[in-house]
Amino acid sequence: MDKYQEIKEAFELLRDNDNAGRMSAYMRNKFKFYGIAAPLRKSVYKTFILEEKKGKSINWIFLDKCWDDEHREFQYLVQDYLKAMQKFLKYEDVPSIERYVRTKQWWDTIDGLDRIIGNIAFNDNRINALMAQWSLDEDFWVRRIAIDHQLCRKMDTNVELLEKILVNNFGSREFFINKAIGWSLRDYSKYNPEWVKAFLMRYHNRMSPLSIREASKYI
């Protein structure tokens, strides 16, 4: 039995139909769930991921099987796996991750993949040019990845790139874009409030009220 099937059988045994209904409703019934709480879900594959880290190699065949499963817990497994294997990811792996970005899209997976892609920049700065390119993509979920890919970098944030990406997305009427703009600025304001204040003054007339409200939360 392969690892995907082994985990699937474990998930089946843990199925909670009542909780599955609540979880699906929370995601606007876009996805099916087993109804497994996160700590219990992660316990199923914790040992497997630890073994994978020892191997220092990404098992894309396994991840693709998981991503293609109709249950949302498997997409969360993919994110947990990639986070654990972050230091082994290379720029050449981006096309494999991009397939996950462009399919089964909703905020939960997009916000789980943004920094996984973004953190590759610490080893390969070609990510910077790619994120600038993605900030102009027709798919607003791809643009959201670009906007938020530097979250939690603190003073390591590339402010020139951040500004370029945010400006590229001004004028959007999409909630998830305007929220992301504000979120990225709010996060950076914890470490460099003066830069964020200056940004808001410079672009106030071009930003949505939602973005401004989110960005101003801590300043």
Side-chain angles (χ1 to χ4, degrees):
M1 182 186 302
D2 68 13
K3 182 54 64 173
Y4 160 74
Q5 193 60 42
E6 182 181 325
I7 292 173
K8 188 172 182 66
E9 291 190 4
F11 281 174
E12 292 283 354
L13 291 173
L14 295 170
R15 182 192 294 272
D16 182 330
N17 289 331
D18 290 339
N19 200 38
R22 289 190 291 269
M23 293 169 79
S24 182
Y26 182 67
M27 292 298 170
R28 299 187 184 179
N29 295 310
K30 291 178 176 290
F31 311 102
K32 293 179 66 174
F33 284 83
Y34 285 114
I36 307 170
L40 185 56
R41 182 193 79 238
K42 292 179 180 181
S43 72
V44 171
Y45 48 78
K46 178 180 178 181
T47 301
F48 167 66
I49 289 181
L50 289 174
E51 289 300 315
E52 289 290 286
K53 289 176 71 173
K54 293 178 183 178
K56 302 179 181 180
S57 178
I58 312 295
N59 186 341
W60 293 109
I61 294 174
F62 166 77
L63 292 180
D64 285 349
K65 286 182 179 179
C66 291
W67 196 265
D68 290 339
D69 194 279
E70 64 180 347
H71 295 90
R72 201 60 166 169
E73 284 87 351
F74 272 105
Q75 282 87 67
Y76 298 155
L77 188 167
V78 170
Q79 294 177 84
D80 291 337
Y81 181 109
L82 291 174
K83 287 175 186 175
M85 302 290 279
Q86 179 76 64
K87 66 181 180 180
F88 307 117
L89 288 170
K90 302 178 178 65
Y91 182 82
E92 289 73 20
D93 293 317
V94 172
S96 297
I97 306 172
E98 184 176 353
R99 183 172 89 85
Y100 308 150
V101 171
R102 294 185 181 274
T103 58
K104 303 192 176 185
Q105 297 166 307
W106 198 237
W107 63 263
D108 54 340
T109 53
I110 295 300
D111 294 352
L113 293 170
D114 51 14
R115 278 178 287 163
I116 289 171
I117 294 173
N119 288 345
I120 298 173
F122 290 122
N123 298 316
D124 194 320
N125 62 17
R126 286 180 291 177
I127 287 290
N128 296 339
L130 181 65
M131 291 298 98
Q133 177 184 328
W134 280 19
S135 74
L136 296 168
D137 199 275
E138 292 183 357
D139 187 332
F140 74 83
W141 289 118
V142 176
R143 299 203 306 277
R144 184 173 166 100
I145 290 274
I147 292 168
D148 286 337
H149 82 277
Q150 294 194 78
L151 287 175
C152 301
R153 283 195 189 177
K154 302 181 180 180
M155 296 308 292
D156 290 328
T157 300
N158 182 331
V159 292
E160 292 81 10
L161 179 60
L162 176 62
E163 182 167 358
K164 179 178 182 179
I165 287 173
L166 297 188
V167 170
N168 283 347
N169 281 275
F170 287 165
S172 175
R173 300 178 66 181
E174 173 53 56
F175 169 84
F176 287 107
I177 290 297
N178 291 325
K179 183 83 169 180
I181 290 172
W183 189 10
S184 64
L185 290 168
R186 182 184 67 193
D187 179 72
Y188 190 50
S189 74
K190 299 173 188 177
Y191 316 105
N192 194 347
E194 294 307 315
W195 187 91
V196 175
K197 287 178 184 177
F199 183 96
L200 291 174
M201 290 182 63
R202 189 157 61 249
Y203 295 112
H204 186 274
N205 292 335
R206 298 179 61 188
M207 296 176 66
S208 76
L210 173 59
S211 296
I212 294 170
R213 185 167 64 250
E214 288 291 321
S216 303
K217 184 173 182 179
Y218 300 132
I219 57 177

